[in-house]
Amino acid sequence: MFIKISSFIVILMLYSCSNVEPNSAPNPLYGKEGRYGNFVQDTIYAQADSVIRGKFLNTSLTAKLSLGEFDGLKAGFEITYNIFKDTALVVDSVYLKFNTANSFGPNANETVTAMMYQIIDSIDTDSINIKDIWRNPTEGAFLSEINAVQFNLADSAQTSVKLPNDVFEKWSENNDKNFGLYFSPLEEDVVLEINSRNSSFTPVLFYYTHINDSVVIDTIFTRRDATVFNYDDQNGQALNFSPNQIIVSSGIGSRVLIKFDFSTVPKNAIIFSADLVLTDDDTNPYENPDNSTSFLLRAIEEVAADEDDFVYNPTRTFSLRSDEGFTSILGTHKSDFATTVVQGIKNGVLTNKWFELEFINSIESLSVKRFLGAKADKTQSPKVIIKYLNAQN
Amino acid sequence: MHKTRINRLKLTKYILSLLILIGIGQAGESQFGLVNNSLGNIQLPYSSSGLASSYEVAKSDSVQLNFRNFATWTNISRTTFSWNLGYNGYLGKNKTEKYYFDNANFAGVFLAIPLQPRKLILGVGLQPFTSVEQRLENKSKQIGEDISENIYINGGISKANINLVYKPIENYSFGIGYEFTFGKLTENVLFNIDDNLGSSVSLKSESQVAGNGIILSFFGTPVENFNFGIVVRPTVLGQITRSAESTSDFLNKERVLEMEIPAEYNLGLEYSFNPTYSLGMDLVWQDWKNGYKIDNKKVGNHELFYHLGFGLERKGSSRKFVKYIQQIDLRLGGFYNQLSTYNDLDRNKVNEVGITAGISLPIQRFKSKIDFAGFISKRGNLSKNFLEETIVGFSFSISANELWFVNLVD
């Protein structure tokens, strides 16, 4: 009897010890709401903002080439073809083929006229768009005017530009003299974007020769192309903004710095969502429809006189998207922004001075986006909407 | 041989049947004890002998160690080691569903060394004090979002003690001891916010308890066949250290708060009608309502805890040459409790009522015995509480007696 009773109890104990999972069907929490605190949504408005103009950057790796002029913003492009032959060629004709990606501006109708130049002096390829010689390139001695040409503005349209035979024949005779071409806009209030060599519809050069009566067509691809951006600071309007506005621009890169004060958020807040919301200024005519909705946000720990010396902490970026008049942080980035940045600031592990906003693509094309700034009406100024558990422990 | 084989088959079937029956259960603890700052359900550790008869404070034994009143240990003549193990099954139901938990438990382990047999005894031991295991869910709407909350709370507090008991004159014994109260309670909560972004908030909070107290015990036989016992544990003074794991460093910081656990009072009586039959009762009370404080403030949501037990014991024959079955002790009892935490949804108290039974089997060869006990109780009432549980428990206590530290010449 002793063995039976003991073994009965021991078996029960051993079995209960072997199954340590708690009840999978939890009890309802009757009347215990708020045991760990309550959820709060808070809005923090921007304290200050500032717009900084970025440096000119190398544009030889962008997927588009820009051509146009709009209220002080100007873009022309350089292109060099890969001519390997080093023997003289006699050609019947030479054409340059371009594919239109996008166009915008009040004067964007069917075509845009540009002046085609031959670059007659060697250029430092790494300096395109960066060095001062590119600020007014048509006034420089390294360009020789060829003739005016027209580009089609319709999306996906092809433009065929005739290149004088002698230009091509000189390049083929002496490849060292092939410094490329430069196109500069002749019309205002219109911007054209062409697919570059870094896209699927790369610019191509066709030249026609013949053998006896047969026409021979050969194709040459680009070796290098890049956009040159400029802005007339004295007379231009595109990058102007009023005190209650802020702007972000690409091509001529401008970034916005915005400052927030999170001291009103409780120390014991467990922050799970944070959204930076900006109100778009829909009076802005300079938005490029192909580059007006995607932005990047970063947290700056230290600013410096040179933007290259800014210290970002954390170094990761957060994406923002414009939709229906507002620009805000994208989807799940809200949670990352909350836990990585805002919680880090409340925990004291991050020192935050400013938040920096810029276009995701700030060098590929011309575009300007205006928002209402810190000095605008509170309901429209930049804000961070924070959601957190005001925790009790 | 054939009979042995049949017995083995029967035993195998018996064990398999048990495994199948209890396969529906999952590990867990009583679902009561949930109020803010609660230390869990109060455990009243009894030996199996005491559990079976529902009283022990005034019960004396020369073989087993008393788990409630250390002053009774002056009846032992040998070094004695006693421990208790058990099994509890909880069949519970709330307003929406039923569930079944089980767990293994122990009511304590003690070692008593007679420095002077039957006069001066030194003892050390470990006993459970509270336990909690709760799994809860809640749904709410806050800040315009549907939020589901899943909570898992578990842990418990134990007591380790050292006692010195002395019998200065025949029939009266006194004990004094030091007791260290310690343990940990953990709460894990996960909030899922239905914002189409998979947002969630996770918080784990931990409370570690450490406290010092003393035990004062008394056992006396003022008149023949009548025993009474008193055990007092004055207020335990200690600390509760709170910390958390969350994304908020401020919340995670450790905080140490002063804590007081209310004094516990035990009173027991036993009357033996004759050498065979005894009747006894226990009363335990602890004022958690006014005596439980954290940071010098009453915690709130707690009630007076009391336990009232009464029972009958039939002692088996102490003569050696009688049938074994006549040597078995039989016990029967009943109890009524008021829990220290109440259902604070509507501030109704939670009560428990139960019946107990058990036997002691002597082990002549070792001059010892093994006690078995079983009980069934009902805790809570759905008509006024958010849960009710039917608890079935089994336990056994074993004592081992050795001639350690005893001067054989004496």
Side-chain angles (χ1 to χ4, degrees), chain A residues 2 5 8 12-13 15-16 19 21 23 27 29-30 32-33 35-36 39 267 343 347 387 393, chain B residues 27 31 34 36 86 94-95 101 104 135-137 142 145 151 187 205 247-249 255 344 370 372:
Chain A
F2 159 70
I5 298 175
F8 170 72
L12 290 179
M13 288 168 49
Y15 188 81
S16 71
N19 188 350
E21 290 301 315
N23 182 17
N27 274 307
L29 187 59
Y30 296 112
K32 300 307 310 165
E33 285 84 5
R35 179 183 176 95
Y36 302 99
F39 284 88
K267 285 183 196 173
Q343 188 75 70
N347 289 343
K387 297 180 184 177
N393 180 22
Chain B
Q31 297 276 297
L34 174 67
N36 287 350
N94 55 45
K95 290 185 169 120
F101 291 149
R135 193 169 169 89
L136 307 147
E137 68 172 8
Q142 298 182 59
E145 309 280 9
I151 304 171
E187 300 189 30
S205 63
T247 55
S248 166
D249 287 355
R255 294 177 294 142
D344 60 346
I370 180 167
F372 295 96

Side-chain angles (χ1 to χ4, degrees), chain A residues 38-45 260-275 338 341-348 384-391, chain B residues 247-248 250:
Chain A
N38 291 304
F39 284 88
V40 175
Q41 178 171 306
D42 215 350
T43 303
I44 310 292
Y45 294 96
F260 293 95
D261 176 12
F262 296 105
S263 61
T264 55
V265 177
K267 285 183 196 173
N268 53 326
I270 300 176
I271 303 164
F272 68 91
S273 175
D275 192 5
V341 178
V342 184
Q343 188 75 70
I345 294 169
K346 289 307 300 180
N347 289 343
V384 176
I385 299 173
I386 301 177
K387 297 180 184 177
Y388 59 89
L389 173 67
N390 192 5
Chain B
T247 55
S248 166
F250 178 80

Side-chain angles (χ1 to χ4, degrees), chain A residues 65 152 164 186 233 275 283 344 368 373:
Chain A
L65 302 168
N152 291 317
L186 292 176
D233 278 297
D275 192 5
T283 64
V368 180

Side-chain angles (χ1 to χ4, degrees), chain A residues 86-364:
Chain A
D86 222 358
T87 53
L89 264 179
V90 177
V91 297
D92 295 332
S93 58
V94 183
Y95 290 92
L96 312 175
K97 302 277 187 183
F98 299 96
N99 288 282
T100 299
N102 176 45
S103 64
F104 67 97
N107 204 20
N109 298 312
E110 291 181 6
T111 60
V112 62
T113 307
M115 181 61 70
M116 180 168 59
Y117 295 86
Q118 181 182 3
I119 301 174
I120 57 174
D121 201 355
S122 67
I123 55 171
D124 175 8
T125 55
D126 291 336
S127 77
I128 292 176
N129 194 46
I130 297 175
K131 282 193 175 169
D132 287 344
I133 60 166
W134 293 101
R135 299 287 69 85
N136 288 295
T138 56
E139 293 173 13
F142 62 98
L143 294 183
S144 169
E145 194 173 292
I146 300 177
N147 54 254
V149 297
Q150 280 198 327
F151 288 85
N152 291 317
L153 293 180
D155 286 359
S156 307
Q158 271 205 335
T159 297
S160 185
V161 171
K162 192 170 189 317
L163 181 70
N165 293 358
D166 60 317
V167 173
F168 177 79
E169 285 164 359
K170 280 179 187 165
W171 287 346
S172 65
E173 185 181 11
N174 188 349
N175 203 19
D176 288 342
K177 296 294 180 189
N178 176 14
F179 303 122
L181 301 168
Y182 183 77
F183 291 83
S184 180
L186 292 176
E187 293 183 48
E188 291 184 351
D189 296 343
V190 56
V191 176
L192 165 71
E193 291 175 354
I194 297 168
N195 291 301
S196 78
R197 65 184 294 272
N198 299 302
S199 72
S200 305
F201 300 96
T202 181
V204 177
L205 181 152
F206 291 102
Y207 69 92
Y208 295 81
T209 56
H210 63 274
I211 297 174
N212 299 326
D213 291 330
S214 300
V215 175
V216 179
I217 307 172
D218 270 328
T219 307
I220 295 177
F221 294 96
T222 49
R223 182 170 75 207
R224 179 185 69 241
D225 58 22
T227 302
V228 174
F229 295 105
N230 278 296
Y231 181 67
D232 184 355
D233 278 297
Q234 282 189 334
N235 303 307
Q237 299 286 319
L239 298 184
N240 289 355
F241 54 95
S242 63
N244 67 340
Q245 290 176 328
I246 46 177
I247 63 164
V248 172
S249 62
S250 70
I252 306 293
S254 296
R255 313 202 295 275
V256 162
L257 303 186
I258 312 175
K259 185 186 266 289
F260 293 95
D261 176 12
F262 296 105
S263 61
T264 55
V265 177
K267 285 183 196 173
N268 53 326
I270 300 176
I271 303 164
F272 68 91
S273 175
D275 192 5
L276 172 64
V277 180
L278 300 116
T279 305
D280 301 350
D281 180 351
D282 55 11
T283 64
N284 171 38
Y286 308 109
E287 276 188 34
N288 179 339
D290 261 14
N291 186 18
S292 64
T293 59
S294 299
F295 305 88
L296 286 180
L297 180 73
R298 285 192 285 187
I300 300 176
E301 189 173 82
E302 277 183 37
V303 294
D306 187 334
E307 64 181 66
D308 292 339
D309 294 331
F310 281 12
V311 176
Y312 298 96
N313 189 12
T315 54
R316 65 155 297 174
T317 57
F318 303 93
S319 298
L320 283 85
R321 187 64 52 83
S322 298
D323 188 22
E324 295 184 354
F326 296 97
T327 299
S328 61
I329 294 179
L330 194 66
T332 53
H333 284 217
K334 290 183 177 61
S335 169
D336 293 339
F337 183 58
T339 53
T340 308
V341 178
V342 184
Q343 188 75 70
I345 294 169
K346 289 307 300 180
N347 289 343
V349 298
L350 287 183
T351 303
N352 176 258
K353 296 286 170 63
W354 296 88
F355 290 96
E356 178 188 89
L357 182 75
E358 60 177 336
F359 272 107
I360 273 185
N361 193 326
S362 60
I363 62 170
E364 184 159 281

